[in-house]
Amino acid sequence: MNPTSDTPAKPLHKNELLKAESNFLRGTIAHDLADTSSGTIPEDTNQLMKFHGVYAQDDRDLRNQLRKEGKEKAFSFMARIRATGGVCTPAQWLALDALADSHANGTIKITNRQSFQFHGVLKGNLKPAIKEINRVLLNTIAACGDINRNVMCNPNPLQSGLHAEVIKVAEAITQRLLPRTRTYHELFLDGELVAGGEPEEEPIYGKTYLPRKFKIVVAVPPHNDVDIWAHDLGYIAISDDSGKLIGFNVTVGGGMGMAHNQIETFPRLADVLGFCRVDQAVDVAEKVVMVQRDFGDRTDRKHARFKYTIADRGLAWFRKELEGRLGYELGTPRRFEFTDTGDRYGWVEGSNGTSHYTLFIENGRVKDTPEYPMKSAIREIAKVHRGDFRLTPNQHLMIAGVTAAERPRIEQLLQAHRLDAANGASALRLNSMACVALPTCGLALAESERYLPELVTLLETEMEAAGLRDDAIVIRMTGCPNGCGRPYLAEIAMVGRAPGKYNVYLGAAFDGSRLNTLYKPSVPADQLVPLLKPMFRQYAAERQPGERFGDFTIRAGYVKPTGTPADFHEKKEAPAPAAKPVAAS
Ligand code: SRM
Ligand code: SF4
């Protein structure tokens, strides 16, 4: 059944052949990495390297100049390090901190899927860096590629006990869905055995793995910081009156990515499918993945995500297919409520006698600047911290599990390095998120991580003037429509259209349960503030008690709630495939 026999008319995408013939993701990687005549690797090898957590990139700031000089591009690699639920130890942090300086561009990027990224890793540094990452018991296995990615999990500090239970489930899902091939160890760890000698087969994936990437999250209500509706498969933790975890509502078929003006591509909110017990959760994940393995579209990578399998075939079909494989029916979904998608900054008391400090890190970029030596400061904290760190799904950092005895020392370090001041930013900034984009992302059409902070500064002036400094509005920017910053779930989103131009989207729900709608295409960067300023004024003057900005933009008629895929695109005349109605919860 793998690849699916349902799509015989169209030829398989070339990546399917590449995977099939790669001998479990080996291809010519060993040869190409050893080749010192180029700073990069051939494209086919790049496709396979993604499964090992590595992307070939080049510094796009230097492209034009180097082209003019007739020189090779400034090639380097991005390495993504998985950490289930974003949990890592201080020792691991210290190792990554040192590696960022010795083997990468001196920064650590906290991603919005609770992973780490290194940028600017030169070819000769790649293998030593990956070895060191593994030495501290982290890895880059399947951090990218057509396979299950890092499993996200809410790091809710208020319910430390529940968090301890759900993270175990997230880790069990991770382990079940890891690739079984020894290729990674062979290529990067000189064949060293890290996990034992499994046979060379892929019982879950088969030798062509999945049609496309696959993303799983675990949410703990009332917080929807993992943006559950944006992911292929989601689990909403359900606890009993005593706070004990009893199971999960299962969600399927969410996704963000689309392409400008390709109406057959669209963001989609996940659907609630049913309820499973804690002991069923891993099996459910495995079988969901296997259905997508067999029925996902392997002919067209723009139509290969699980959301299209669900949108095309319907939830009833999927339920039948899944339950047939599980051998039991899912239960009726339990009641739950989400209130927000953001992080709780500062100190929060846990339920187990420890406390947690969430530190705002703008767009997840941990670096030292003369004004704000954040990377060095976190290093000092890591040297003394006895608990753990948790990366948040909003690209921030939680210093977690701080005991009463330890807390004064951590507080002193936060103050001494002015880290606590970062959390005093405006509510708009604290709820902002940008994807990486330029200069490393090869797909970026416009700036994002480097531009959003500047734009927020300008918008803050307008918000302040309108009396909205402390009003949280979820604002997100991406350099292209692929949706890495989950922009279609932001109350205000700017999606890169061309250099210096953005499509502006409005109207998503504050709790992440409603997608936004295209308001204005191709807005020049210098027109973004004039565009939003009158809306802020009107919102301040006319909002109803408790009304969120996203809801207001709909009530005030700026946009209508998203109904069809056409609402995301500039051209609306093309026939639209059936879309999921708004709001899954
Ligand atoms: Fe992403 C591709 C960065 C989260 C949808 N994403 C990329 C690449 C690897 C560019 C490439 O393919 O050449 C970007 C690397 C840039 C760089 O220089 O680092 C990139 N994505 C990121 C990160 C680092 C953004 C961030 O600033 O945090 C996030 C890494 C997460 C992680 O740790 O695994 C990241 N990407 C997402 C998300 C959000 C999420 O998963 O919660 C999405 C939307 C959700 C979804 O998948 O539907 C997302 N990334 C994409 C897509 C579009 C996929 C699609 O369905 O069409 C691409 C392009 C592709 O796959 O072809 C992409
Ligand atoms: Fe790159 Fe586009 Fe993703 Fe931003 S949204 S990181 S520009 S692929």
Side-chain angles (χ1 to χ4, degrees), residues 311-363:
D312 294 348
R313 293 174 181 263
L315 205 57
W317 167 85
F318 178 72
R319 183 191 308 281
K320 194 159 172 264
E321 187 63 37
L322 176 69
E323 291 179 344
R325 291 175 192 230
L326 286 169
Y328 54 83
E329 291 182 2
L330 294 175
T332 308
R334 308 294 161 90
R335 277 183 34 189
F336 63 95
E337 191 193 4
F338 287 128
T339 51
D340 55 73
T341 60
D343 288 341
R344 293 186 53 141
Y345 298 101
W347 286 106
V348 175
E349 302 302 325
S351 58
N352 61 355
T354 61
S355 49
H356 314 261
Y357 186 87
T358 302
L359 173 68
F360 171 73
I361 297 182
E362 196 152 29
N363 303 320

Side-chain angles (χ1 to χ4, degrees), residues 212-224:
R212 212 54 166 86
K213 57 179 75 168
F214 196 87
K215 298 179 173 181
I216 302 179
V217 300
V218 185
V220 182
H223 299 296
N224 183 22

